[in-house]
Amino acid sequence: MAISAVLIFGAPGSGKGTVGAKLAATTSLKHLSTGDIFRGIAPSSESGKLLASYSSKGLLVPDEATVKIFERYVEGLVNTNKLNPEKDTLLLDGIPRTVAQVDLIKSIVDVKHIFVLDIKDEATIVARLLNRAKIEGRKDDADENVIKNRLNVYKDSTAKVLEKYDSKIISHIVGDNTPDEVFRDVLSAYVDFKKNA
């Protein structure tokens, strides 16, 4: 049985993690970030080595591997009663990232709505990520060339993912605003979605 889910979309540094965590804290949504799942995998494990070989270059992990890790993680939540597939709705950040993943996750999750954080100015994203690298010590955010590569990957593949979904279930949010304004707009779009659900 597929679990209900809403997606939060946007380029690296658009604020998905921040908004996702706040939305989960304010609503009944269960926030799942594939980035957090991946970062929680032991670097010495087989999956950890595989992930590192891609992320160090700013490349996406292959679709099948990503979905397998995600599915295993969700199963773990269900098996430990942290997730009730019949009642809970997931807030997904970081999956699906490619057109192929849209089909691969269909049996796991049923996508009900998508929030897209749009940022017009690439310089804003680069500045945010370099700043995040200093604060959180994230290596993948410290190199401007890796950042630009990730942005290109986002534009080339992730943006195409949206074309696989009905435009009626997609809400576009201005991501250039302050974190509070972005959160307010996402929350408002979420309330509208729940009203019509």
Side-chain angles (χ1 to χ4, degrees):
M1 188 187 96
I3 301 167
S4 294
V6 296
L7 309 180
I8 188 158
F9 254 81
S14 59
K16 297 185 299 295
T18 306
V19 170
K22 278 188 182 171
L23 199 56
T26 321
T27 66
S28 59
L29 293 170
K30 308 269 187 199
H31 183 222
L32 272 196
S33 155
T34 46
D36 289 345
I37 294 169
F38 286 0
R39 281 187 287 278
I41 292 172
S44 56
S45 70
E46 232 170 280
S47 298
K49 284 177 189 154
L50 175 78
L51 296 175
S53 70
Y54 288 92
S55 63
S56 61
K57 300 182 191 88
L59 299 171
L60 292 179
V61 177
D63 297 325
E64 284 80 7
T66 297
V67 172
K68 198 166 273 178
I69 291 168
F70 170 72
E71 186 172 19
R72 232 181 280 148
Y73 190 85
V74 170
E75 273 173 11
L77 293 177
V78 172
N79 293 339
T80 54
N81 295 324
K82 291 190 176 101
L83 181 67
N84 181 337
E86 284 159 39
K87 290 187 185 155
D88 293 331
T89 299
L90 293 171
L91 173 62
L92 300 182
D93 157 10
I95 195 168
R97 269 195 172 166
T98 65
V99 169
Q101 286 179 17
V102 172
D103 295 323
L104 288 169
I105 67 165
K106 266 187 187 151
S107 63
I108 311 165
V109 294
D110 177 14
V111 176
K112 304 288 192 188
H113 201 80
I114 303 171
F115 304 104
V116 184
L117 307 183
D118 292 316
I119 294 191
K120 304 281 179 278
D121 185 13
E122 214 169 89
T124 304
I125 290 178
V126 174
R128 279 185 187 178
L129 290 177
L130 292 172
N131 189 42
R132 183 167 82 181
K134 281 187 207 134
I135 296 167
E136 296 179 21
R138 278 181 49 182
K139 289 190 189 82
D140 57 338
D141 292 336
D143 182 332
E144 209 163 317
N145 290 328
V146 171
I147 291 172
K148 293 220 161 105
N149 194 21
R150 284 165 65 200
L151 290 176
N152 288 334
V153 167
Y154 175 75
K155 276 185 234 152
D156 293 343
S157 64
T158 312
K160 290 191 181 101
V161 167
L162 294 176
E163 293 167 15
K164 295 273 285 180
Y165 292 103
D166 188 334
S167 61
K168 288 191 199 79
I169 68 162
I170 300 174
S171 301
H172 285 273
I173 313 288
V174 178
D176 301 85
N177 290 334
T178 67
D180 286 345
E181 288 168 330
V182 174
F183 175 63
R184 177 202 64 204
D185 295 344
V186 171
L187 190 58
S188 163
Y190 174 74
V191 169
D192 288 346
F193 149 67
K194 286 299 279 183
K195 246 186 243 163
N196 303 317

